[in-house]
Amino acid sequence: MFRRLKRIFTYTKLNAINDNSNNEKQNSNKVSKIPKSINKVRAMLEDRFSESSDFILRELLLGKDSSTHILIAYIDGMVNNQLINSDIIKPIMIECNSINPVHSLKDKSTLNLLKEKLISTSYIKEVNSFDESVASLLSGDTMIFIDNCDSALKASLRLWDKRSVGEPTTNVVIRGPREGFTETLRTNTILLRRKIKNSNLKFETMTVGEQTNTEICICYIKGIASDDTIKTVKERIGSIKTDAILESGYIEEFIQDSKLGLFPTVGNSEKPDVVAGKLLEGRVAILCDGTPFVLTVPYLFVEAIQSSEDYYTRSIYATMSRFVRIIALVITVFLPAFYVALVTFHQDIIPYKLLLTMTAAREGIPFSALTEALVMVITFELLREAGIRMPRAIGQAISIVGALVIGDAAVKAGLVSTPMIIVIAVTAISSFIVSSLSGTFLFMRIVLMLAANIIGILGILLVSVAFFIHMCQLKSFGVNFLSPFTPLSISDLKDTFVRVPLWAMFTRPKELTWEHGGNAKFRNRHKKEGR
């Protein structure tokens, strides 16, 4: 008896839930549908955009007897007012007396008349949803509503102030293109189209952010990018539930593989040539409206030592530059910890004359080597942060003068030794060479210094092994973070520490292309031309 009552109660509850969900769907459909009455449309628009002084409604009359009302809606400042006047309002007002529209919901004669004969814009689309109409208005489109018609017309007459294409400040090059992305999504897609004139270059747009409704564009080359990577990118972006997306960094934090990982698994760039090169290798780009930084996935560790300028110079010079970056990477991560280990535990491996010099320099210093290093590292980070946040001219002066004055004063006051100043200065200079991982390297530097202060060089080795194991476990959208080293791919080593000549690059990275090399083969243009 109890089981029967329980089943009846459960069945009744499920039916009530289904009825409520059906009612909600019906209500949402009713709200979403465009009313036939132009007065209802006006009331709904005025309700949605109440207390919005930039929302404009313009009503016109069509027909000999002026019986058909047309409502034009747009947001001032986001549209081209001259084109609205010349391409929409003027043709309707000129032809209004010579037209006798037929009200028919089946053939929508009035709507077709406006769409095919009167409105002279290059892009016009029929819209059947009121919510879609509101979203189009907020994106800068112009909506045209017609009395006794349950559809509307969307005309793209967008125009707003935007920053012109200029040279980015984060990726400075001596040789190569100087143009950079802007905060306008359509401008950024055009810059990529100019680089890759191929119909297989695809742009798929999504809207993310419940309050901001930010446009996100997924870019890839069909036939080169992995289908699994494209699917994963769409799924992760589609699953984002947040109020606002104001910059691509928001998306990066939502879609990255390791939520609390030490190393980034999503790349970014401000340069169209860099993003175009990554697309040609099989990566997927993610463009966000309102920011010049474009995300690229998968992101590999080897990209930290690569530069766009490597491909615009001879291979031998590019290879030498990469070795310099590798040396800078090792110095910025390990040099302070190695100095702390030598001074604290391993004085016997320091050459005798150098040991005398270091001992004399450290005489009278009241702090340990670890304390010296931590104080100087924190001081340097403070100076760098101040230089970035201050106006450019003042910021450079603060960084240079501050480093000189503080360093000289600290040595004269006996708070820091001269060798420590040199170590931190070299470390700081090296960190600027591999700036893409500066935050990661700062954390590694501090952890290694703490380990070196506890058990010396053995601590450095143990922590380094732990970091390496962590890097081996990382994946970026299904691709190993340390690829092509783990797993080892001999054919993909041609563009890692060594950059072979362009005419010797016959294949794309196997881990990035679809089916892991099924479509990886390609010929360089010079090879095709027989050069």
Side-chain angles (χ1 to χ4, degrees):
M1 184 70 180
F2 176 75
R3 289 181 179 178
R4 179 180 289 181
L5 290 173
K6 186 176 181 181
R7 288 176 183 174
I8 293 172
F9 174 76
T10 305
Y11 180 76
T12 306
K13 187 175 180 181
L14 289 174
N15 285 337
I17 293 173
N18 291 331
D19 291 340
N20 290 333
S21 62
N22 291 332
N23 290 334
E24 289 178 359
K25 288 181 180 179
Q26 291 176 0
N27 291 334
S28 63
N29 290 333
K30 288 180 180 179
V31 173
S32 180
K33 192 175 181 180
I34 297 176
K36 300 175 185 177
S37 172
I38 199 70
N39 294 325
K40 289 184 178 180
V41 172
R42 173 187 282 274
M44 292 174 66
L45 287 173
E46 290 177 345
D47 180 64
R48 286 287 186 98
F49 293 95
S50 61
E51 301 176 357
S52 298
S53 59
D54 57 347
F55 178 66
I56 306 297
L57 285 175
R58 176 76 159 87
E59 188 169 351
L60 300 175
L61 298 176
L62 185 65
K64 293 181 179 179
D65 54 353
S66 299
S67 59
T68 301
H69 293 256
I70 296 175
L71 193 64
I72 301 172
Y74 60 92
I75 295 180
D76 190 24
M78 298 183 70
V79 298
N80 191 326
N81 292 324
Q82 292 183 349
L83 291 181
I84 291 178
N85 294 333
S86 61
D87 297 346
I88 298 178
I89 297 177
K90 187 176 180 180
I92 293 176
M93 296 184 72
I94 290 176
E95 301 293 337
C96 66
N97 293 325
S98 59
I99 295 174
N100 188 19
V102 180
H103 298 302
S104 174
L105 295 177
K106 279 189 176 180
D107 55 11
K108 301 178 181 177
S109 301
T110 307
L111 183 140
N112 292 332
L113 178 67
L114 293 174
K115 182 179 179 181
E116 298 172 4
K117 293 186 178 181
L118 293 184
I119 299 176
S120 58
T121 60
S122 59
Y123 177 83
I124 189 166
K125 180 183 176 182
E126 186 175 334
V127 177
N128 299 313
S129 168
F130 183 79
D131 290 337
E132 184 181 351
S133 302
V134 173
S136 300
L137 286 169
L138 293 171
S139 298
D141 293 322
T142 303
M143 295 303 303
I144 304 166
F145 299 93
I146 305 165
D147 193 15
N148 202 24
C149 184
D150 58 355
S151 298
L153 294 176
K154 177 176 74 172
S156 181
L157 300 173
R158 302 180 183 181
L159 180 67
W160 54 72
D161 294 332
K162 59 183 179 180
R163 182 170 64 91
S164 60
V165 177
E167 183 177 1
T169 57
T170 55
N171 301 104
V172 180
V173 295
I174 299 174
R175 179 176 180 178
R178 303 299 177 93
E179 60 187 6
F181 290 117
T182 68
E183 288 76 14
T184 306
L185 181 62
R186 188 54 58 207
T187 301
N188 296 340
T189 59
I190 292 171
L191 291 173
L192 288 176
R193 282 284 185 197
R194 288 179 56 197
K195 296 291 181 183
I196 306 175
K197 301 178 179 68
N198 189 343
S199 59
N200 287 327
L201 178 64
K202 306 299 181 182
F203 294 99
E204 297 188 25
T205 304
M206 304 174 67
T207 302
V208 183
E210 296 179 3
Q211 300 297 329
T212 58
N213 292 310
T214 306
E215 283 188 88
I216 308 297
C217 187
I218 301 172
C219 176
Y220 60 91
I221 300 179
K222 188 177 181 180
I224 296 180
S226 169
D227 293 336
D228 292 336
T229 304
I230 298 170
K231 182 181 177 182
T232 304
V233 171
K234 292 179 182 178
E235 288 177 351
R236 293 187 185 181
I237 294 178
S239 64
I240 295 176
K241 302 298 181 183
T242 183
D243 282 348
I245 297 291
L246 301 179
E247 212 272 340
S248 57
Y250 284 57
I251 302 172
E252 179 180 352
E253 196 164 344
F254 277 107
I255 68 173
Q256 61 186 353
D257 289 73
S258 180
K259 302 299 182 183
L260 299 175
L262 180 60
F263 292 86
T265 55
V266 179
N268 64 80
S269 178
E270 276 191 279
K271 291 178 65 64
D273 59 313
V274 174
V275 176
K278 294 182 185 298
L279 290 173
L280 291 168
E281 287 183 345
R283 290 180 175 84
V284 178
I286 304 169
L287 295 82
C288 177
D289 190 24
T291 176
F293 288 93
V294 175
L295 305 180
T296 56
V297 293
Y299 179 77
L300 308 180
F301 176 74
V302 72
E303 295 180 50
I305 62 169
Q306 294 176 342
S307 172
S308 62
E309 204 168 353
D310 294 343
Y311 305 95
Y312 307 142
T313 58
R314 297 180 61 186
S315 60
I316 186 171
Y317 300 143
T319 302
M320 292 174 61
S321 298
R322 289 188 180 181
F323 275 110
V324 170
R325 295 183 200 121
I326 295 170
I327 294 171
L329 187 151
V330 174
I331 288 174
T332 190
V333 174
F334 293 100
L335 183 60
F338 190 69
Y339 176 81
V340 170
L342 288 180
V343 172
T344 308
F345 292 99
H346 308 286
Q347 298 90 345
D348 52 335
I349 67 175
I350 303 175
Y352 180 69
K353 291 185 177 179
L354 179 60
L355 179 60
L356 291 178
T357 304
M358 292 175 60
T359 303
R362 284 192 50 80
E363 185 177 359
I365 302 298
F367 305 112
S368 64
L370 175 64
T371 305
E372 278 188 272
L374 289 175
V375 169
M376 292 309 300
V377 167
I378 294 173
T379 302
F380 166 72
E381 292 299 325
L382 291 174
L383 290 172
R384 182 167 69 172
E385 190 71 15
I388 294 173
R389 305 304 170 193
M390 294 291 289
R392 186 170 300 177
I394 302 175
Q396 292 178 354
I398 288 177
S399 299
I400 297 172
V401 176
L404 292 174
V405 172
I406 293 176
D408 183 63
V411 172
K412 288 182 178 179
L415 299 177
V416 181
S417 62
T418 306
M420 179 58 71
I421 295 290
I422 297 173
V423 167
I424 298 301
V426 175
T427 302
I429 294 172
S430 301
S431 68
F432 289 121
I433 299 176
V434 283
S435 58
S436 59
L437 295 176
S438 58
T440 301
F441 290 157
L442 174 61
F443 179 82
M444 294 176 64
R445 193 183 306 140
I446 293 175
V447 173
L448 286 167
M449 285 192 298
L450 294 174
N453 189 64
I454 297 172
I455 50 176
I457 293 179
L458 179 61
I460 297 176
L461 293 176
L462 292 176
V463 173
S464 299
V465 170
F467 282 138
F468 182 72
I469 293 173
H470 173 66
M471 293 170 68
C472 291
Q473 293 176 340
L474 282 179
K475 287 184 177 293
S476 176
F477 288 80
V479 179
N480 292 299
F481 184 63
L482 289 181
S483 178
F485 304 107
T486 57
L488 182 63
S489 176
I490 302 297
S491 62
D492 290 344
L493 295 177
K494 60 185 176 295
D495 192 21
T496 52
F497 297 150
V498 176
R499 205 276 281 172
V500 302
L502 293 178
W503 48 264
M505 293 188 183
F506 296 113
T507 57
R508 294 187 177 90
K510 293 181 180 179
E511 290 287 328
L512 300 180
T513 52
W514 68 283
E515 294 183 358
H516 293 291
N519 193 36
K521 289 220 167 188
F522 77 104
R523 290 282 176 178
N524 188 275
R525 185 189 65 177
H526 297 280
K527 196 70 177 179
K528 283 184 177 179
E529 296 175 356
R531 297 180 185 177

